[in-house]
Amino acid sequence: MATFTSKKKGSPKRWKGQVWFHGRMAAVKWFGSGKADQKAAIAWEVNTRKELEAAAEREAAEMPTPSASAPRPVTSIEWGTAYLEECRRRNSLATFKEKRDGFKRFIRTSLDLI
């Protein structure tokens, strides 16, 4: 839903359209402060959400369906790589680097124990 807010404290308020998709903010767009701008923001949100859903459906249709075989075990390297990719996407660069360095220390320690 479009919100009537300002970018900074003390600045004039405007309509902000934002679309959340799969648990994250997918798009943001600022509009003016009038009633027509409110309607435009709401329409933009609806259209953008439909476009994202259609793109996700096309992408899902192109992916092959997984076989119903038993799940395979995941190695710590595979798990760590997937975790660090998610951290890179969600966290700041400094946080990502801390997690990456911690994972490197974990792997070195694990290899020393073998």
Side-chain angles (χ1 to χ4, degrees), residues 76-77 97-114:
S76 58
I77 296 293
K97 286 181 179 180
E98 287 177 10
K99 291 181 183 288
R100 181 194 61 197
D101 294 343
F103 189 70
K104 282 181 184 178
R105 286 191 303 275
F106 168 74
I107 294 297
R108 273 193 234 118
T109 303
S110 298
L111 291 176
D112 290 342
L113 297 176
I114 296 176

Side-chain angles (χ1 to χ4, degrees), residues 26-43:
V28 175
K29 186 173 180 182
W30 288 91
F31 296 86
S33 59
K35 189 72 170 175
D37 295 314
Q38 177 188 13
K39 290 179 181 180
I42 293 170

Side-chain angles (χ1 to χ4, degrees), residues 5-76:
T5 187
S6 60
K7 285 186 178 183
K8 295 180 182 177
K9 188 175 183 177
S11 64
K13 290 187 174 186
R14 300 186 306 163
W15 287 101
K16 176 184 174 184
Q18 57 186 3
V19 177
W20 287 79
F21 192 70
H22 292 301
R24 65 183 186 99
M25 179 121 16
V28 175
K29 186 173 180 182
W30 288 91
F31 296 86
S33 59
K35 189 72 170 175
D37 295 314
Q38 177 188 13
K39 290 179 181 180
I42 293 170
W44 175 83
E45 287 179 344
V46 170
N47 291 336
T48 304
R49 189 172 290 111
K50 285 180 182 176
E51 289 172 5
L52 290 171
E53 289 172 353
E57 287 177 10
R58 282 192 304 270
E59 187 176 304
E62 293 172 0
M63 292 179 60
T65 56
S67 62
S69 63
R72 67 175 187 85
V74 178
T75 65
S76 58

Side-chain angles (χ1 to χ4, degrees), residues 84-97:
L84 288 174
E85 287 173 359
E86 181 68 14
C87 288
R88 176 179 282 158
R89 186 179 73 79
R90 286 180 166 249
N91 302 108
S92 68
L93 182 61
T95 303
F96 166 73
K97 286 181 179 180

